[in-house]
Amino acid sequence: MDTSCGRGINEKRRMEMSAYGCWAHLRRKFYDLHVSGVSQAATDTVLAMTELWRIEDEVRGKDADSRAARRQEKSSTTVASLFELWEKELGKVSGKSKTAEAIRYALTRREALERFLTDGRIEIDSNIVERAIRPQTITRKNSLFAGSEGGGRTWATVATLLQTCKMNGVDPLDWLSETLTRIAQGWPASEIEALMPWNFRSDAVS
């Protein structure tokens, strides 16, 4: 996922990255209009989007190719119909209305929003990422006292590893205690992969 601020990323790396759109953010714009009852198109949009998340429930946990194939089979039709609806509706409503604002938000991000259909590695929304970084966001003031740029990198590395533990259903304290013990006992650098959280076995803790 690319970001709008990437001055620290070299050009080659930037070329390898692509932006993808978050459907949850888009849905919120139409949902507010749906609740207020000012736009039938918004209501139709919210109802249609429900099908997209139903399909995501089906493919969650499957490999990227299977996810992309299922999305192409089912979700692509819904997405195409939504953009067709928005394009037609935009010409009917005031350009200054909230409905027009929501539609323009979608249309100007069409390529990014459609990317999840062909790339199974991508989630339909950024909710998982947002939940994952919330603890770090809450403690952002503490992060100001990392002490130095190097300290900040270390902080980020440790936070990433601990969150990876949580994502893999591993107790962070168990993993950290066992991993530090193994490293102190001379664990070979060539076998560092075995120490990653996704390879951790809680029953191996002594």
Side-chain angles (χ1 to χ4, degrees), residues 141-179:
K141 289 185 178 180
N142 294 336
S143 304
L144 296 174
F145 300 96
S148 65
E149 183 176 348
R153 291 198 187 97
T154 300
W155 184 304
T157 299
V158 172
T160 298
L161 288 169
L162 296 182
Q163 186 59 42
T164 300
C165 286
K166 296 178 182 179
M167 292 175 67
N168 285 274
V170 172
D171 184 286
L173 181 58
D174 286 348
W175 173 82
L176 187 60
S177 299
E178 179 68 9
T179 299

Side-chain angles (χ1 to χ4, degrees), residues 179 182-183 186-199:
T179 299
R182 288 176 172 177
I183 292 174
W187 188 271
S190 60
E191 298 180 19
I192 194 69
E193 176 70 17
L195 296 181
M196 294 297 102
W198 50 84
N199 289 322

Side-chain angles (χ1 to χ4, degrees), residues 15 64 101 123 131 140-141 162 168 192:
M15 292 295 290
E101 181 181 319
E123 296 293 333
R131 286 194 295 269
R140 69 178 66 184
K141 289 185 178 180
L162 296 182
N168 285 274
I192 194 69

Side-chain angles (χ1 to χ4, degrees), residues 47-196:
L47 292 175
M49 284 184 177
T50 300
E51 176 65 11
L52 295 180
W53 271 277
R54 186 190 67 76
I55 296 170
E56 289 306 300
D57 288 339
E58 292 181 7
V59 303
R60 186 163 291 111
K62 295 184 179 181
D63 63 86
D65 290 340
S66 297
R67 283 155 58 96
R70 185 62 172 169
R71 288 166 173 172
Q72 282 289 299
E73 179 187 2
K74 295 294 184 179
S75 301
S76 58
T77 302
T78 300
V79 170
S81 65
L82 280 170
F83 277 102
E84 183 179 352
L85 168 66
W86 296 332
E87 288 171 347
K88 290 180 179 178
E89 190 67 19
L90 187 59
K92 301 177 182 178
V93 299
S94 168
K96 296 181 180 180
S97 67
K98 291 293 184 180
T99 300
E101 181 181 319
I103 291 175
R104 283 195 296 269
Y105 179 92
L107 295 180
T108 57
R109 292 165 174 79
R110 180 165 188 168
E111 183 178 355
L113 287 166
E114 291 182 328
R115 187 158 282 122
F116 87 103
L117 294 172
T118 55
D119 190 340
R121 299 169 301 173
I122 295 175
E123 296 293 333
I124 191 174
D125 55 49
S126 60
N127 290 345
I128 293 176
V129 174
E130 291 179 9
R131 286 194 295 269
I133 67 174
R134 187 169 293 125
Q136 311 312 320
T137 303
I138 293 174
T139 60
R140 69 178 66 184
K141 289 185 178 180
N142 294 336
S143 304
L144 296 174
F145 300 96
S148 65
E149 183 176 348
R153 291 198 187 97
T154 300
W155 184 304
T157 299
V158 172
T160 298
L161 288 169
L162 296 182
Q163 186 59 42
T164 300
C165 286
K166 296 178 182 179
M167 292 175 67
N168 285 274
V170 172
D171 184 286
L173 181 58
D174 286 348
W175 173 82
L176 187 60
S177 299
E178 179 68 9
T179 299
L180 291 178
T181 298
R182 288 176 172 177
I183 292 174
Q185 293 175 346
W187 188 271
S190 60
E191 298 180 19
I192 194 69
E193 176 70 17
L195 296 181
M196 294 297 102

